[in-house]
Amino acid sequence: MGCWSGTPRSSGPTRSTATRSSTPWPRIWGGGLGTEPAEALVAYGFEALGLTEVHATVDARNEASPWLLGRLGFAHVRDVEEDDGGLTRVLTCRNPARGAARGRQ
C-alpha cells in the first residue's frame, strides 16, 4: 500500500522521530487505509519511545493524508520542493504529555 518508517533522532535534550508515508497509487488516497498505521506509529513514538515530536511527509497532491494527520494532532510546518519539481508537505505532531516538561528545560 505504501511505506511508513520511524527513525529516532537525538536533538539536544529532546528526541524526535521522522516518519515518511508515501504510496505510488494515488487512487487509494482517501480510502481509509492510513488511519490505523498512523495512529499506531504516533502512539509508539510517544508512549514506547518517549519522543517529543513525530514528523510526517506527504506528497502535496495527496489531500487526504494531511486531513487525517490533522485529526491526529499534526500541524503543517512547511512545504519542500523536490528535485523533480514535486511538492512535499511536512507536518509535525508534538507529544502533549511531554510539552510541559520540555518547556521547563
Side-chain angles (χ1 to χ4, degrees):
M1 299 298 175
C3 176
W4 286 86
S5 67
T7 308
R9 292 189 286 188
S10 178
S11 173
T14 62
R15 292 179 57 204
S16 65
T17 187
T19 63
R20 177 142 177 101
S21 169
S22 62
T23 178
W25 304 293
R27 70 179 177 265
I28 68 168
W29 290 346
L33 300 175
T35 303
E36 189 173 328
E39 289 173 337
L41 187 60
V42 171
Y44 182 76
F46 289 160
E47 296 167 16
L49 299 178
L51 302 177
T52 57
E53 297 178 334
V54 174
H55 306 281
T57 58
V58 178
D59 186 313
R61 297 170 296 174
N62 181 347
E63 296 177 4
S65 287
W67 180 83
L68 162 68
L69 292 169
R71 285 183 32 223
L72 298 178
F74 281 79
H76 179 256
V77 176
R78 70 178 179 275
D79 291 335
V80 176
E81 186 173 344
E82 303 295 345
D83 292 338
D84 64 1
L87 195 63
T88 297
R89 302 214 185 280
V90 180
L91 299 96
T92 297
C93 182
R94 289 182 173 77
N95 185 342
R98 304 262 320 213
R102 188 179 64 230
R104 289 192 296 262
Q105 293 180 0

